[in-house]
Amino acid sequence: MIDSVEILGFVAATLTTAAFLPQVYKTWKTKSAESLSLSMLLIFVTGVSCWLGYGLLIKSLPIILCNLITLISGFLLLYFKIRYKN
Amino acid sequence: MIDSVEILGFVAATLTTAAFLPQVYKTWKTKSAESLSLSMLLIFVTGVSCWLGYGLLIKSLPIILCNLITLISGFLLLYFKIRYKN
């Protein structure tokens, strides 16, 4: 049975994964990424790629899934940042 | 001995923690948080708080440390978002 500590972990993972979806929506909707830091996005996408690689190597489905979704969000934000620059 | 898979995990954790520092710096420097999503910040801070609680409960120092730093970044961005609204 999953205990309450594991449930807290799942809630944490779901929230930190879902958090970037309203950011992607807002950036797409407003076509403005001016106050987003390009360094943040580059470091973040690199870090999430490492998490994904780590998840694949230790064969952890929750780590793989969360970081795959977050990586898509990260790449979309990076694309918007470059696309809406001018 | 720490193996290469664990090193990848540490690199991932360091990068996704460090990623928010240039965002905090940029937002503070430009005094602009317009394109940051408030929903993103609220969900993110809640999620990172859950991660911190999870880390404390399972007594994992890396999870505690990374999420403590990320939580400070998250709260600073949330503060800037509200502070620089007008």
Side-chain angles (χ1 to χ4, degrees):
Chain A
M1 216 188 93
I2 298 173
D3 64 21
S4 53
V5 177
E6 288 309 296
I7 291 171
L8 184 63
F10 280 116
V11 171
T14 306
L15 289 172
T16 50
T17 301
F20 298 98
L21 302 178
Q23 182 65 61
V24 169
Y25 178 75
K26 181 181 174 139
T27 311
W28 170 74
K29 195 80 180 171
T30 60
K31 311 257 179 290
S32 164
E34 211 189 323
S35 43
L36 287 180
S37 158
L38 181 63
S39 308
M40 180 270 278
L41 292 173
L42 289 171
I43 301 169
F44 187 69
V45 161
T46 310
V48 175
S49 303
C50 290
W51 274 124
L52 184 60
Y54 178 76
L56 288 165
L57 287 168
I58 68 162
K59 296 182 177 63
S60 162
L61 193 61
I63 296 181
I64 294 168
L65 275 182
C66 286
N67 286 287
L68 197 62
I69 296 167
T70 310
L71 193 60
I72 294 167
S73 303
F75 269 121
L76 282 170
L77 290 173
L78 200 57
Y79 169 75
F80 292 151
K81 178 70 187 172
I82 296 158
R83 177 82 169 72
Y84 303 143
K85 203 166 188 175
N86 302 311
Chain B
M1 217 189 94
I2 298 173
D3 64 20
S4 54
V5 177
E6 289 308 297
I7 291 170
L8 184 63
F10 281 117
V11 171
T14 306
L15 288 173
T16 50
T17 301
F20 298 98
L21 302 178
Q23 181 65 61
V24 169
Y25 178 76
K26 182 182 173 140
T27 310
W28 170 74
K29 196 79 180 172
T30 60
K31 310 256 179 291
S32 164
E34 211 189 321
S35 43
L36 288 180
S37 158
L38 181 63
S39 309
M40 180 271 278
L41 292 174
L42 289 172
I43 300 169
F44 187 69
V45 161
T46 310
V48 174
S49 302
C50 291
W51 273 125
L52 185 59
Y54 178 77
L56 288 166
L57 287 168
I58 67 161
K59 296 182 177 65
S60 163
L61 194 61
I63 295 181
I64 294 168
L65 274 182
C66 287
N67 286 287
L68 197 62
I69 297 166
T70 310
L71 193 61
I72 294 167
S73 303
F75 270 120
L76 282 171
L77 290 174
L78 199 56
Y79 169 75
F80 292 152
K81 179 69 187 172
I82 297 160
R83 177 83 169 73
Y84 303 145
K85 204 165 188 175
N86 302 311

